[in-house]
Amino acid sequence: MGNNKEIVCFCQDVTKEDLIRSIDEGYDNIETLKRYTGVFMGPCQGKTCGMNVLKIFSEKSGQPFEELKVPSIRPPVVPIPLGAIANSNNGKDDE
Amino acid sequence: MNNKYDVVIIGGGGHGLSLAYNLSKISNLKIAVIEKNYLGSGASGRNGESIRSAFGHDAWIRFHEEAVNLWETISAELKFNVMFTQCGYLVLATSPKKMDVMLNTVKRQQELGVKCHVVNKAEIKKIVPNLTTNIEGGVLQTSGGYARHDAVVWAYAKAAKALGVEIFPFTEVKSIDVKNGKITGIITDKGDIETPIVVNSAGGHCAQIAAMAGIEIPTQTYRLEMIATEPLKPFLKQYVSALDQIGYMHQTARGEFIGGTEPPNFLPSMDLKCTMYNLKDMASKFVELFPCLSGVKIMRQWTGLMPIAPDASPILGPVYDVEGFIMDCGWTYGFMATPASGKYLAQLIKTGNMPSIIQPFSFERFKTRNFIIDPTLVVEAAITE
C-alpha cells in the first residue's frame, strides 16, 4: 500500500490506489481485479464495497458505469453457519 | 491477432498457459493461446488448490512427484509468487476399508521418492487437533500442500507473454479445420488462424473442442461445488483430503476454510449453478470432520467443471486420426499437475516424441485397454479393476 489510504474494501483493506495500480498492471477486467485484490471476496462479498469499486473501475477504465457487470453473485445471500445446513446424521443420507 | 501461428493452444487456464510458457522457453515457435472468457475463468480458478504426489498408481506417483519438485521452484522461475505452501498433505480414512487402501500404497510411494508416512490416530490428533477423533488414520506427505490457483494462472501468463506468446482472452473458437487428416487452422469469432498444431487444453469443454476436430474422446464432464467460509484464526495447517467423504479442504492464508465434497448420485452436467444438494453434503461432511466449524458461516459457494475419462486419469499427447491435434484433457487433479503437464507436453511438441513420464496417459490406452486406475483418488472411476 502507498501513502494514499482511501480504503475502499473494508474486509480486505484494499485502497483506491491498490485498485488503480492493479488495473494498470493488467488486471483490467472486473473478475480478475476481484481475484487479484480480494474485493468482493471478504465477509461482505461486495455488499459494502461493490458500488465504490465499480465507480473507481469505471473512472479508471473509461467504461461507462451503466455498462459494467458485477462479478458473479455467489450464494448464500447472507452468510449462514455450516451447522444450520448440516444433516444431523452427518451427511450419510438425506432421510 | 496474426493469421498464422506454429502452435495454437485452446484454453487460457493454468494448463494452456503453462504449456505456452514451457514451449516458448525451449523453442522459437510462434504460439497463440485462445481463451473464450477471462484467463483462469474455468477450473483453474475454481479448484481446491491441492498439491500432492502420494497416489496409488506408479504413473500417477512418478508424474506428480515431478510436479511437486517443479512447484518448489516455480515462483522463482516465473518471478511471481504463487504462494506455494508446503504445509503437508494429509489423506485421511474414517473407514478400515479406505485405511487398507492407504496402507497398501504407502510403501510404493516411498520407494518412488515421495516424502510420506503413515500416521496413526494419536499422531493425527497432535498435528490436526480440531479434527474428529472418529478416524482410522492417514498418510501424511510432508512435501505436499497447496498454492494460490489464480496466481498460478497470472504467473504463467506473464512469463509466457515475456517470452513472446500471444494471449487472446474473450476469443471463442468456432471450429477447427482438418484437411487430409491434418490440422490446418481454427476459426474464431475474432478471425481465422492458420496453424499445423492445435492443443486442446479446454478443461470441462475438452470433448466439445475435440469434436470440432472430428475426434470423439471418452470423457464426461461433471460439476463439482466448493465453499469458502468467513476468515478464521489459523486452526488447520495441513491440506486434508478425506477418502470416505470424497472431500478435500484447507485453510487459506486469509483464514478462510475452503473445501469441496462429492455427494452421492454424481451425474454428468455442465451447469454452473450452485445447488442446495451439494451445499448440504459439504456442510454435513465438514462439520463431521471438523466439529468446530458448526458455528462458522459460509461466505460463498461456487461450481467448477471436471472432465472425467472412464479410468479418471488424464489424456495426454497426440491422437492418431488427426495429425497435429494434441490432448491436454481429462484432468481430475489438474491443478497440481500444471507445471509438469506444460513441461512434458512442450517436449512432445518440440521433439515429436512422447516423453516416457506421460506415455502411460496417452490416448491409445483406450484402444489397448491399458487403463490407469488409481485407488487413492477422491473421484470415482467408472471402470474398476
Side-chain angles (χ1 to χ4, degrees), chain A residues 12 27 29 31-32 35-36 38 41-43 45 74-76 79-83 85-87 90-92 94, chain B residues 38 80 148 150 154 170 227 231 254 256 274 276 279-280 283-284 287-288 293-294 296-302:
Chain A
Q12 317 274 19
Y27 301 90
N29 173 272
E31 292 283 0
T32 45
R35 287 161 177 79
Y36 190 59
M41 295 181 86
Q45 291 289 294
R74 311 276 190 211
I80 21 170
L82 280 162
I85 302 162
N87 286 329
N90 290 337
K92 290 199 177 65
D94 250 357
Chain B
Y38 60 92
F80 198 112
R148 174 84 202 282
D150 299 310
W154 304 326
F170 305 104
I227 53 166
R254 277 189 197 136
E256 303 136 337
C274 294
M276 193 63 199
L279 181 60
K280 201 164 184 182
S284 303
V287 171
E288 176 193 352
L293 288 176
S294 182
V296 171
K297 287 172 180 168
I298 301 159
M299 273 197 315
R300 182 165 76 246
Q301 179 186 2
W302 68 94

Side-chain angles (χ1 to χ4, degrees), chain B residues 225-246:
Chain B
E225 297 186 32
M226 292 190 70
I227 53 166
T229 70
E230 60 186 319
L232 307 166
K233 254 168 70 174
F235 77 99
L236 173 62
K237 185 179 165 232
Q238 288 77 15
Y239 200 99
V240 175
S241 82
L243 292 179
D244 293 283
Q245 288 74 13
I246 323 184

Side-chain angles (χ1 to χ4, degrees), chain B residues 241-261:
Chain B
S241 82
L243 292 179
D244 293 283
Q245 288 74 13
I246 323 184
Y248 39 92
M249 61 219 80
H250 73 302
Q251 189 179 14
T252 67
R254 277 189 197 136
E256 303 136 337
F257 173 89
I258 290 190
T261 62

